[in-house]
């Protein structure tokens, strides 16, 4: 079974600094996908970035980049130039094949990020 | 594009009553919809997966008779919490997925969530 581990329940970062949120995963599948979502206090889940297991390049989306180390089974999210609006809960998730159609996501426990002045 | 709506955004109901939550994909056809439950400060826990026109697949430990899921069309899924109790109070989130050309990596598009409070 797939498993996602986020070991940082809470993180603080100064505005304009970079921050790394850790995520490790465990799977026996060769083909899988890794996602990062942001959940502000309003509750909506905001998609940030995706990394496929066969992608050779690390994914980047604006200020977000994913540090994908396949051998270590880690997929850390790096947020550069942090902004106050980045304060939120961040979830790492893995897509697993689902025989019934669609693709199930397994979520980590999340990291609460607080950006300070 | 890829917008998913949920209605209502919040609901308060009395213990013993039933409440229905709707999840709609507004600009795409969702082959699969997922229902999650989230307690405060915790992760999303998948409750069930539904495909249009077929019975939902429930995760282990989720009561099928209590959480009724109907995926009536490619754009609508409903979750009915029957005989609600205070312990059912939670944040319920749906998501929709498509295997069409809308996305290349089968992304799930999330609704804004429904906060249920049972008194």
């Amino acid at each position: 079974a797939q498993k996602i581990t986020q070991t940082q329940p809470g993180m603080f970062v100064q505005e304009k600094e970079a921050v790394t949120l850790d995520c490790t995963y465990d799977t026996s599948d060769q083909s899988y996908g890794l996602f990062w979502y942001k959940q502000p206090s309003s509750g909506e889940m905001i998609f940030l970035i995706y990394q496929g297991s066969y992608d050779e390049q690390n994914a980047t989306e604006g200020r977000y980049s994913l540090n994908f180390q396949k051998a270590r089974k880690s997929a850390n999210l790096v947020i550069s130039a942090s902004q106050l609006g980045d304060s939120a809960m961040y979830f790492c998730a893995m897509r697993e094949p689902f025989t019934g159609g669609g693709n199930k996501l397994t979520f980590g426990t999340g990291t609460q990020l607080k950006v300070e002045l | 594009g890829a917008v998913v709506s949920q209605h209502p955004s919040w609901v308060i109901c009395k213990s013993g009553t039933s409440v229905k939550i709707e999840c709609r994909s507004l600009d795409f056809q969702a082959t699969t919809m997922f229902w999650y439950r989230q307690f405060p400060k915790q992760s999303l826990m998948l409750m069930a997966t539904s495909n249009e026109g077929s019975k939902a697949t429930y995760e282990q430990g989720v009561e099928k008779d209590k959480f009724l899921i109907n995926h009536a069309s490619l754009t609508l899924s409903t979750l009915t919490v029957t005989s609600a109790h205070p312990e059912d109070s939670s944040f319920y989130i749906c998501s929709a997925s498509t295997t069409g050309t809308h996305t290349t990596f089968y992304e799930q598009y999330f609704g804004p969530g429904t906060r249920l409070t049972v008194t």
Side-chain angles (χ1 to χ4, degrees), chain A residues 35 37 39 41-45 47 50 89 91 95 98 100-105 107-110 112, chain B residues 32 34 36 38 41-44 46 49 51 57 59 91 93 97 99 105-108 110-112 115:
Chain A
F35 297 78
Y37 289 89
Q39 187 180 40
S41 57
S42 59
E44 60 185 310
M45 295 291 284
F47 165 73
Y50 169 81
M89 181 73 90
F91 290 101
R95 168 178 55 81
F98 176 59
N103 293 269
K104 290 172 67 173
L105 287 177
F107 285 87
T109 51
Q112 183 72 48
Chain B
T32 307
F34 303 85
Y36 296 87
Q38 186 181 31
K41 306 289 185 187
Q42 294 189 23
S43 187
L44 279 72
L46 180 65
T49 305
N51 294 302
T57 301
E59 294 298 299
F91 191 57
I93 308 175
S97 177
T99 55
F105 46 78
Y106 306 110
E107 178 184 347
Q108 288 187 24
F110 286 84
R115 198 163 301 279

Side-chain angles (χ1 to χ4, degrees), chain A residues 5 29 41-42 44 52 58-59 75 94 96 104:
Chain A
T5 303
D29 292 320
S41 57
S42 59
E44 60 185 310
N58 283 347
M94 173 183 288
E96 57 182 276
K104 290 172 67 173

Side-chain angles (χ1 to χ4, degrees), chain A residues 11-78:
Chain A
M11 288 282 286
F12 289 91
V13 65
Q14 295 283 331
E15 194 181 21
K16 300 179 185 176
E17 297 291 311
V19 62
T20 298
L21 306 183
D22 294 341
C23 173
T24 58
Y25 61 91
D26 189 22
T27 181
S28 56
D29 292 320
Q30 296 300 308
S31 176
Y32 53 88
L34 296 154
F35 297 78
W36 276 93
Y37 289 89
K38 171 185 178 182
Q39 187 180 40
S41 57
S42 59
E44 60 185 310
M45 295 291 284
I46 302 169
F47 165 73
L48 297 178
I49 198 166
Y50 169 81
Q51 180 83 42
S53 58
Y54 293 120
D55 295 340
E56 295 184 353
Q57 303 277 346
N58 283 347
T60 59
E61 289 285 349
R63 295 187 298 111
Y64 304 108
S65 60
L66 200 150
N67 184 0
F68 182 46
Q69 298 190 35
K70 197 169 181 178
R72 293 186 177 183
K73 293 189 175 179
S74 73
N76 299 338
L77 176 70
V78 180

